[in-house]
Amino acid sequence: MLLVMLTACSTAPRQIINQQSDMSERGKASFYADKYHGRTTANGERFSQQAATAAHLRLPFGTKVKVTNIANNKSVVVRINDRGPYIRGRIIDLSKAMFKKIADPKVGVIDVKVTVIDKSNTAKD
């Protein structure tokens, strides 16, 4: 009986991970201010405005996501390496280079869809 209970507990997280890999959400995206270039991110890397990276409040570090601008359907793939954004209603902060690929930085904030595409390289937070 104990073996059955332990086996059941050990398989539950795998199912949750598989369900989360299909996760997508809609919300607002912004980009990092220039003052953050060169600073340390939450996972210990140095932040670069040219990197294909982003901040998300909950996704594990290393998760790759596709960020699609809802207005023009342009998208980029980025890796989560930081925490944020901490402004209500925003779901992701992109490096400036990635934001420029999908929108004009002059607009500052855009409506996006964020879809998890790869969690295989994730690290524990």
Side-chain angles (χ1 to χ4, degrees):
M1 182 71 158
L2 180 60
L3 183 59
V4 172
M5 288 173 43
L6 290 174
T7 304
C9 291
S10 67
T11 59
R14 196 170 289 145
Q15 292 170 351
I16 292 169
I17 290 169
N18 288 340
Q19 290 170 357
Q20 287 179 347
S21 67
D22 297 330
M23 184 192 99
S24 67
E25 61 183 329
R26 289 178 182 250
K28 305 265 185 210
S30 53
F31 61 91
Y32 283 83
D34 288 333
K35 70 180 183 179
Y36 294 105
H37 183 76
R39 291 191 185 177
T40 304
T41 62
N43 79 342
E45 296 176 10
R46 280 209 190 274
F47 173 70
S48 170
Q49 287 285 28
Q50 289 74 47
T53 58
H56 192 279
L57 287 172
R58 295 175 313 280
L59 289 173
F61 297 138
T63 302
K64 289 185 181 174
V65 297
K66 180 179 177 183
V67 181
T68 304
N69 181 339
I70 294 171
N72 62 17
N73 211 34
K74 291 182 180 180
S75 63
V76 291
V77 174
V78 296
R79 180 178 51 85
I80 303 301
N81 74 336
D82 203 6
R83 290 290 169 237
Y86 296 103
I87 297 174
R88 189 176 194 176
R90 296 190 192 175
I91 60 172
I92 196 163
D93 267 341
L94 300 169
S95 66
K96 191 178 279 186
M98 294 299 104
F99 192 92
K100 283 182 179 180
K101 288 186 176 199
I102 62 173
D104 183 347
K106 291 177 186 174
V107 299
V109 179
I110 58 173
D111 292 314
V112 296
K113 178 180 178 184
V114 176
T115 306
V116 174
I117 59 171
D118 184 8
K119 289 183 92 172
S120 62
N121 293 323
T122 59
K124 291 192 176 192
D125 296 325

